[in-house]
Amino acid sequence: MAQARIGLIGLGVMGANLSLNIAEKGFPIAVYNRTGSVTDDYVASAGDLAQQLFPAKTLEDLVASLSTPRAIIIMVQAGAAVDSVIDSLTPLLDKGDMIIDAGNANFHDTRRREAELSKLGLNFIGMGVSGGEEGARHGPSIMVGGDKKSFEVIRDILEAISAKHHGTPCADHFGPDGAGHFVKTVHNGIEYADMQMIAEVYGVLRDGAGRSAADIGKLFETWDKGQLQSYLVEISGKVLQTIDEKSGQPIVDIIVDKAGQKGTGRWTAIEALSLGQSPSTIEAAVAARSWSSVKDTRIAGEALFAELEPEKGAAKISDDDLEKALLAAKIIAYDQGLNLLSAASDEYDWNLDLASCAEVWREGCIIRSTMLDEMASAVREGLPQGNLIFSPRFAQRLVEGSSALRRVVASAALQGLPVPAFAAALAYFDTMRQGRGTTDLVQGQRDFFGAHGFVRIDTGETDQHGPWASDIAHS
Ligand code: NAP
């Protein structure tokens, strides 16, 4: 019986496209979907690629059609569905076989699954795939975590199907257990920040300057040819210039302003906080989506505070300032994302190569942009204090860009226009260039009420206390 090189379970949007991509690159693939009719329709529409497909009606058939050791990709909803598929699959597998979860898993689940399956002698790969439907079909960015030897077994397939940056595959192995899924999670967190900051520019131009959707879309189209070239700026330009066929209105004007989220942005913020990090641009983007969901509250607030006039003195924001501000805020968001990756790498002993992270994001994924190539080079050259914003490649750009960001945030604040991610980026930047901050007072407060102790500047002595304990005792 002819044998398939790899298997895939879950022929939804991502699974169907990824498996056709694999088949197209010449790898015979066995496919299975819980709802059998989906498999039939999928094979019927696969055209010539059907020759490379081994459709299976049962998991037993799927397993039987694979060469050994077996490698099976699971591409179903993250969470309980993955555990359910793994539970059904494991009794059918032999030691040395490999399961690859290619969905958007929480990396804690990946770590747990890897540990559980290794006890059964099975290999587990947690693999982040980015690029949506189009990427899955024609070249996604692939972030792999798990046993390196297992990665080597499927490396040829992953490199063949991935996006390429001047011929270099945007697929890499980042470390053991949850490393790949964590890199994908932070990718999505940065994606949230990128999208929010673009939306803030749109808001400033729409509500502050009264510009039309098409006009703003054209501006994004222009920016996409410059330093801001990126998939997200490109599609924002396209969305804003699209007319709704039904109403004849710009399509963005008939879309309800309540943003969905499936969890990866929130996971990024949660994991960051538990690692003692605070990627404020990502947190702001997650918050903005959450706030967007309470539309009734916002409508009530608009009516309640209707008499509030914009403050006087708001400067007109130029397109040039907005472009520079977006550039600066974007660099800051990536700085925060890379810092988070670095902290997780230390915590979980992943030894993550941050430059490789930036490199696999250069093509195929949603945050792909020209700037990522330069970011990867900056990381390879060594980041002063581990910070992208201090890199000679970006520091000078921030000198100019941060002034524009400051003008945009100040003007937006005076006009009453919310720019949470821009403001968060600016506060982070200003904090990181302030040698003496204000937490000396916070430490004083903590010592006052809780005797938490502080470090003296003059002598370096630790666990010092102020004289207030006796003040309290005598008061
Ligand atoms: P989808 O189109 O909704 O398809 C879901 C698939 O999962 C279907 O084949 C479904 O089978 C199967 N499934 C669900 N529950 C199952 C269960 N308990 N047992 C067996 N099969 C089950 O989802 P998708 O968009 O392809 O997403 C798949 C994964 O990729 C998710 O983790 C998602 O977060 C991730 N991802 C998605 C994108 C994107 O742009 N869509 C991008 C990157 C990553 P039935 O046909 O039987 O229902």
Side-chain angles (χ1 to χ4, degrees):
M1 174 180 167
Q3 303 273 282
R5 168 78 193 278
I6 193 164
L8 184 141
I9 297 170
L11 294 170
V13 174
M14 292 299 281
N17 284 289
L18 200 70
S19 53
L20 289 176
N21 187 356
I22 292 171
E24 190 177 63
K25 299 302 177 306
F27 301 99
I29 178 166
V31 290
Y32 167 84
N33 194 71
R34 177 180 60 178
T35 308
S37 58
V38 172
T39 312
D40 298 337
D41 294 345
Y42 159 84
V43 175
S45 62
D48 291 347
L49 292 177
Q51 293 164 17
Q52 292 282 67
L53 304 174
F54 291 70
K57 283 286 177 205
T58 64
L59 285 177
E60 286 79 0
D61 286 350
L62 177 91
V63 169
S65 60
L66 290 167
S67 58
T68 55
R70 302 176 186 89
I72 302 173
I73 298 173
I74 300 177
M75 194 48 127
V76 303
Q77 262 94 7
V82 176
D83 285 317
S84 153
V85 172
I86 289 175
D87 288 346
S88 309
L89 200 54
T90 45
L92 310 175
L93 298 180
D94 296 319
K95 284 191 172 157
D97 287 347
M98 182 194 321
I99 294 176
I100 303 142
D101 175 15
N104 272 343
N106 184 311
F107 84 106
H108 289 299
D109 285 338
T110 306
R111 286 168 65 80
R112 169 180 57 79
R113 289 170 185 142
E114 209 253 358
E116 287 169 2
L117 290 174
S118 73
K119 284 189 204 142
L120 302 174
L122 297 171
N123 297 310
F124 186 69
I125 290 278
M127 182 170 99
V129 177
S130 177
E133 185 174 1
E134 184 69 10
R137 180 65 184 86
H138 298 293
S141 167
I142 301 176
M143 294 145 261
V144 182
D147 174 44
K148 182 85 193 280
K149 283 196 200 122
S150 301
F151 166 66
E152 293 300 341
V153 173
I154 51 168
R155 183 181 196 138
D156 58 339
I157 301 177
L158 301 183
E159 291 190 347
I161 64 168
S162 74
K164 310 287 181 300
H165 179 77
H166 300 303
T168 304
C170 292
D172 211 345
H173 175 264
F174 288 101
D177 55 74
H181 273 142
F182 191 82
V183 173
K184 172 64 165 56
T185 300
V186 175
H187 161 285
N188 283 26
I190 293 172
E191 177 184 312
Y192 270 56
D194 244 345
M195 291 167 75
Q196 173 62 24
M197 293 183 308
I198 293 169
E200 287 177 14
V201 171
Y202 158 66
V204 164
L205 290 171
R206 184 191 70 183
D207 300 330
R211 303 258 288 265
S212 71
D215 186 29
I216 303 167
K218 280 199 191 78
L219 185 65
F220 286 155
E221 202 178 293
T222 312
W223 289 358
D224 189 43
K225 297 184 177 83
Q227 288 194 69
L228 279 171
Q229 187 289 319
S230 65
Y231 174 69
L232 285 170
V233 168
E234 177 196 337
I235 64 162
S236 303
K238 286 182 175 160
V239 169
L240 286 166
Q241 292 182 78
T242 300
I243 298 296
D244 171 47
E245 286 177 9
K246 203 167 165 189
S247 64
Q249 300 290 309
I251 198 156
V252 73
D253 291 345
I254 56 100
I255 297 177
V256 175
D257 60 328
K258 290 165 80 168
Q261 47 180 325
K262 287 189 176 164
T264 44
R266 194 162 40 222
W267 291 347
T268 311
I270 290 169
E271 291 311 324
L273 290 176
S274 66
L275 288 165
Q277 296 284 309
S278 189
S280 55
T281 53
I282 298 170
E283 291 164 348
V286 174
R289 288 202 197 184
S290 304
W291 297 340
S292 83
S293 69
V294 290
K295 187 160 173 76
D296 291 346
T297 306
R298 291 187 286 115
I299 290 170
E302 186 173 4
L304 184 63
F305 297 110
E307 81 275 11
L308 269 178
E309 292 288 329
E311 293 293 322
K312 301 218 166 20
K316 187 175 179 301
I317 304 173
S318 70
D319 290 355
D320 187 48
D321 263 0
L322 276 171
E323 184 178 15
K324 288 191 180 117
L326 184 56
L327 199 65
K330 180 172 170 150
I331 295 165
I332 291 164
Y334 278 77
D335 174 284
Q336 295 183 331
L338 292 176
N339 276 334
L340 173 53
L341 287 171
S342 175
S345 180
D346 290 347
E347 176 72 17
Y348 298 105
D349 283 331
W350 286 335
N351 199 20
L352 279 182
D353 180 345
L354 298 188
S356 294
C357 295
E359 279 160 4
V360 299
W361 295 341
R362 287 179 299 191
E363 296 291 345
C365 65
I366 303 299
I367 63 171
R368 62 185 182 261
S369 73
T370 316
M371 202 193 283
L372 272 162
D373 194 36
E374 205 176 348
M375 288 182 179
S377 301
V379 179
R380 289 233 176 275
E381 288 156 11
L383 299 177
Q385 308 294 322
N387 279 84
L388 186 73
I389 56 173
F390 296 157
S391 149
R393 285 177 182 268
F394 292 102
Q396 190 50 42
R397 233 172 290 182
L398 279 166
V399 169
E400 200 180 319
S402 63
S403 300
L405 182 59
R406 196 174 307 287
R407 286 192 290 274
V408 170
V409 171
S411 179
L414 287 171
Q415 293 178 70
L417 302 172
V419 286
F422 273 177
L426 183 62
Y428 173 77
F429 178 70
D430 283 340
T431 302
M432 289 306 139
R433 59 181 202 89
Q434 188 179 44
R436 184 185 176 201
T438 53
T439 48
D440 42 3
L441 177 57
V442 173
Q443 286 297 81
Q445 292 162 339
R446 292 179 70 236
D447 190 55
F448 190 103
F449 64 70
H452 293 296
F454 53 81
V455 181
R456 290 191 67 96
I457 290 177
D458 47 3
T459 63
E461 291 168 285
T462 58
D463 203 22
Q464 299 297 295
H465 298 282
W468 30 73
S470 56
D471 288 354
I472 297 169
H474 296 126
S475 64

